[in-house]
Each structure stands twice: as structure tokens, then as C-alpha cells.
């Protein structure tokens, strides 16, 4: 799975949300820093070359859809982030979020309960 640029990731988020979309429908979802239609079309074709999306052709128009599930991308992204920024330690990651007050003690207890109740 090749690494995505920030813009490619943004487009993938839209395609995962819409499930299937023409470039103009993807364009309608972009609220900030909207690229030119041709630029967006190139980004989507790059995603296809990287193996993230495929398309159905309707004449000269293509409807794109994701072929990499968001769950697979999330696993890869999180593993890379944890390896890179937290020395491959989930404990370091959770500690970081606790120190930054992004996760509460109640949420941590909830996570512990989920872990303890797994069979």
C-alpha cells in the first residue's frame, strides 16, 4: 500500500464517504482550497494508479469507487504513526493523548473494560 499525499488522503475520505462518485461530485464535497477540476481528476487517476480506487466508464465519464477499505488504510496509517511517533509503543501513544487531555480517565477505564472483556 503506497503512502498517500495529504490531498490524496482527503479525496479518499470523500470517496469512502460517498462510496461511488464522479469527479464533479468529489469536487462538490471539497469546501476549502478547492482544486481545479483537471487537477482533481489527475489526483483521482493517481489514486487509481496506486491501487486505491477503480472506475466504471460511462462513455467519456468515469465513476470512481474505493477498492481499499477504510479499515485497511486505518490499520496501516495507525501502525506507521505509532512506529514513527511513539517508538512502536501503544502505551506511549495513549500516554501522549492522556497528557494532552485528549482522552479522559473515564474513557481509559472504558478501553480497559473493552480489553478485559475480549474473548
Amino acid at each position: 500500500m503506497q503512502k498517500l499525499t495529504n490531498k490524496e488522503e482527503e479525496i479518499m475520505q470523500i470517496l469512502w464517504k460517498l462510496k461511488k462518485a464522479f469527479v464533479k461530485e468529489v469536487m462538490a464535497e471539497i469546501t476549502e482550497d478547492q482544486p481545479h477540476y483537471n487537477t482533481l481528476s489527475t489526483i483521482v487517476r493517481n489514486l487509481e494508479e496506486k491501487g486505491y480506487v477503480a472506475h466504471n466508464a460511462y462513455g467519456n465519464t468515469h465513476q470512481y469507487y474505493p477498492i481499499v477499505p477504510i479499515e485497511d488504510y486505518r490499520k496501516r496509517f495507525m501502525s506507521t504513526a505509532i512506529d514513527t511517533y511513539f517508538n512502536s509503543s501503544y502505551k506511549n501513544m495513549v500516554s501522549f493523548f492522556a497528557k494532552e487531555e485528549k482522552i479522559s480517565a473515564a474513557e481509559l477505564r472504558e478501553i480497559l473494560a473493552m480489553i478485559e472483556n475480549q474473548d
Side-chain angles (χ1 to χ4, degrees):
M1 196 179 298
Q2 288 187 34
K3 185 170 173 34
L4 298 180
T5 66
N6 289 341
K7 198 52 133 173
E8 288 171 338
E9 193 170 304
E10 178 185 352
I11 303 310
M12 280 306 300
Q13 293 292 338
I14 293 168
L15 287 170
W16 282 318
K17 175 184 160 194
L18 298 178
K19 310 242 187 300
K20 289 184 180 181
F22 296 97
V23 172
K24 66 181 179 179
E25 294 170 321
V26 173
M27 179 76 80
E29 293 288 318
I30 300 173
T31 55
E32 293 181 21
D33 297 327
Q34 198 174 61
H36 186 275
Y37 180 92
N38 291 340
T39 302
L40 180 57
S41 183
T42 298
I43 293 168
V44 173
R45 284 194 311 275
N46 288 342
L47 286 168
E48 188 168 27
E49 286 176 21
K50 288 182 175 184
Y52 282 87
V53 301
H55 73 270
N56 293 318
Y58 300 97
N60 291 335
T61 307
H62 295 125
Q63 184 181 44
Y64 295 91
Y65 56 92
I67 55 176
V68 172
I70 191 169
E71 295 81 15
D72 291 353
Y73 185 75
R74 183 183 303 135
K75 281 180 193 174
R76 172 72 182 248
F77 174 79
M78 289 305 298
S79 292
T80 301
I82 291 165
D83 291 346
T84 302
Y85 299 108
F86 300 103
N87 297 322
S88 302
S89 169
Y90 288 86
K91 182 179 121 189
N92 288 346
M93 181 193 68
V94 172
S95 171
F96 168 80
F97 288 114
K99 287 176 188 170
E100 293 291 315
E101 297 179 5
K102 303 288 185 196
I103 191 167
S104 69
E107 289 169 319
L108 286 170
R109 283 191 288 277
E110 224 176 285
I111 292 168
L112 282 172
M114 287 169 54
I115 292 168
E116 289 170 352
N117 290 329
Q118 281 185 350
D119 292 323

